[in-house]
Amino acid sequence: MTGRGEPPEGPPENPSGGEDEYRSLVFDESFVRAARLQEFSAQERMGEHARAVRSLPGRGTRRHRSRAGIALVVLITLAFATAAYIGFRNPYPPPVGRRAEPLRATVIPLAPRGAVPAGTAESLLDDGPAAGHRSGASGINLPSVRRTKNFSDSQVTLALTTVKDYLVSSSLDPDVLTGGVVRPVGRLLDPDQTAQFDKSMDAPADDGEHSATGWLVRFDPAEAELADPDIRVHGTLSYTEAGADTLEVVSDHTFTYVLRPAVSGPHRADGASLFSVRRVLHFLLDREDIRLHRLEVRSAYVQAGPQACSAETTGALRPLLAGEQADGRGPTGTDPYSTGVPTAALCGTLSVSSQTQDPPRGPDAATSPRSRP
């Protein structure tokens, strides 16, 4: 067999080297010249996709954003400074840099003119000069409270309440009156006076600063005891500003006790007698004292009787009881040319009335009608 044979299906339509299917498509020269070639950029090829790199802002935009950033930094700095100021600032006024001064106390015994009247506790209270006085703490009334220039009405009320608590603890508490307990009084004092108070209780002295009876009312339990727990009280409280940061409170009260001898065994029902103590106390309270429920006792003026003029009253009051009389000895003298603490004693006369009398009236009439120095 020589040569190539034709395939069974016949010769191909487009034999190799012949015309292809685009052979009939002819572009003339003018069409080719008019055609324009255009290559799309990467951005155009991405279509609607976001730009990968943000274009740089213009000069004006940079300046505007720079000013906004500076303003933001300033505002943040001011906010931090304000927060620091509020955080470090004490919400309460700064405490006054004042130290409490020592108490100055004067205790004057009142001597009876004759024998001390005796009777039952009921008759002495109901028919005696204290019949119109109130019992216990109800006799210590707070005055009408009004705000002052530098203290609110609530601060004034707190100050007066602290003073009342002190008077109740130091004049009405049975445990304090018998001489066995002093803490109810000491816990109300300014810390600057604590050492003086403790020394006055442990080692009382007649030096004007360490008299126990200047701080509180105390009887020698070996000599006298309460014949009746009913203690009559009458007097006044007043207050005023002693400065922009200090309140001064003055109390002027007379306390009437029913006493009997402290002896073992049964007591005579008619063997009781009256004993009166007038206390004029000056208190100072600054803002810190008011807030912490404490006070400073600046001065104490005490008249107490019936007692003998020669009685030693610095540690405890020593009452003359039913039927007893004063020894007739007057105050001891002193050499005016001597040095040291003066030791001259003061003494008054106690005028006792058995008739019922109306209590004194008016803010300045707090003196007991039975006690006239």
Side-chain angles (χ1 to χ4, degrees):
M1 179 182 308
T2 61
R4 292 183 181 179
E6 297 293 337
E9 63 274 8
E13 295 181 357
N14 297 315
S16 178
E19 287 185 348
D20 58 16
E21 57 179 337
Y22 298 105
R23 179 167 239 180
S24 61
L25 185 62
V26 179
F27 298 97
D28 59 8
E29 186 179 355
S30 62
F31 176 82
V32 173
R33 290 179 178 179
R36 298 180 60 186
L37 297 178
Q38 181 179 0
E39 182 180 358
F40 291 99
S41 65
Q43 178 180 347
E44 292 172 333
R45 289 197 300 271
M46 291 178 63
E48 296 297 330
H49 295 284
R51 296 177 180 178
V53 180
R54 185 170 54 188
S55 59
L56 293 176
R59 183 176 181 182
T61 305
R62 289 198 303 268
R63 182 181 303 171
H64 175 73
R65 292 184 178 178
S66 176
R67 292 178 178 176
I70 294 175
L72 180 60
V73 171
V74 173
L75 289 176
I76 294 175
T77 303
L78 289 176
F80 274 107
T82 303
Y85 174 75
I86 295 176
F88 286 107
R89 183 186 179 191
N90 190 345
Y92 299 99
V96 182
R98 182 187 62 84
R99 292 186 59 85
E101 297 183 8
L103 165 69
R104 300 295 301 178
T106 301
V107 181
I108 301 176
L110 300 177
R113 293 179 177 176
V116 178
T120 64
E122 293 77 7
S123 64
L124 292 172
L125 290 175
D126 295 340
D127 300 329
H133 299 176
R134 294 187 177 184
S135 298
S138 62
I140 305 175
N141 298 316
L142 301 186
S144 177
V145 174
R146 295 180 181 177
R147 64 172 295 122
T148 64
K149 181 179 179 181
N150 297 290
F151 291 88
S152 65
D153 52 356
S154 61
Q155 289 176 314
V156 174
T157 301
L158 287 174
L160 293 172
T161 302
T162 303
V163 170
K164 180 175 180 177
D165 290 344
Y166 182 87
L167 293 174
V168 170
S169 298
S170 62
S171 307
L172 301 176
D173 189 332
D175 294 331
V176 174
L177 296 176
T178 58
V181 177
V182 298
R183 178 171 173 75
V185 181
R187 65 182 178 83
L188 294 172
L189 294 174
D190 188 289
D192 293 338
Q193 290 189 320
T194 300
Q196 182 190 11
F197 175 78
D198 292 341
K199 184 176 180 180
S200 300
M201 299 300 111
D202 298 336
D206 188 15
D207 58 2
E209 293 187 359
H210 298 94
S211 174
T213 50
W215 299 97
L216 47 80
V217 177
R218 182 162 74 175
F219 303 108
D220 186 346
E223 298 180 3
E225 63 183 20
L226 290 174
D228 195 299
D230 185 7
I231 302 173
R232 300 297 173 89
V233 185
H234 181 74
T236 61
L237 280 174
S238 61
Y239 65 92
T240 186
E241 282 194 8
D245 297 296
T246 308
L247 274 179
E248 179 183 12
V249 180
V250 178
S251 67
D252 188 347
H253 292 82
T254 297
F255 301 87
T256 303
Y257 307 88
V258 183
L259 303 179
R260 65 187 178 192
V263 295
S264 59
H267 295 272
R268 292 180 50 185
D270 59 352
S273 60
L274 294 179
F275 189 86
S276 63
V277 180
R278 180 186 176 186
R279 307 181 73 198
V280 181
L281 306 176
H282 288 245
F283 304 92
L284 290 181
L285 299 93
D286 58 29
R287 298 182 188 277
E288 191 75 0
D289 291 333
I290 294 174
R291 186 175 67 87
L292 297 177
H293 193 64
R294 68 191 189 192
L295 47 76
E296 170 191 347
V297 188
R298 173 58 62 86
S299 65
Y301 180 82
V302 181
Q303 296 174 316
Q307 295 184 102
C309 288
S310 59
E312 177 59 49
T313 59
T314 55
L317 300 175
R318 304 185 182 279
L320 294 173
L321 301 175
E324 296 181 342
Q325 296 185 6
D327 53 21
R329 288 181 293 173
T332 58
T334 185
D335 181 2
Y337 297 99
S338 63
T339 59
V341 179
T343 58
L346 298 176
C347 188
T349 301
L350 177 66
S351 175
V352 180
S353 172
S354 61
Q355 298 180 356
T356 301
Q357 301 183 21
D358 294 333
R361 301 184 182 278
D364 299 325
T367 306
S368 169
R370 300 184 298 107
S371 302
R372 299 187 182 90

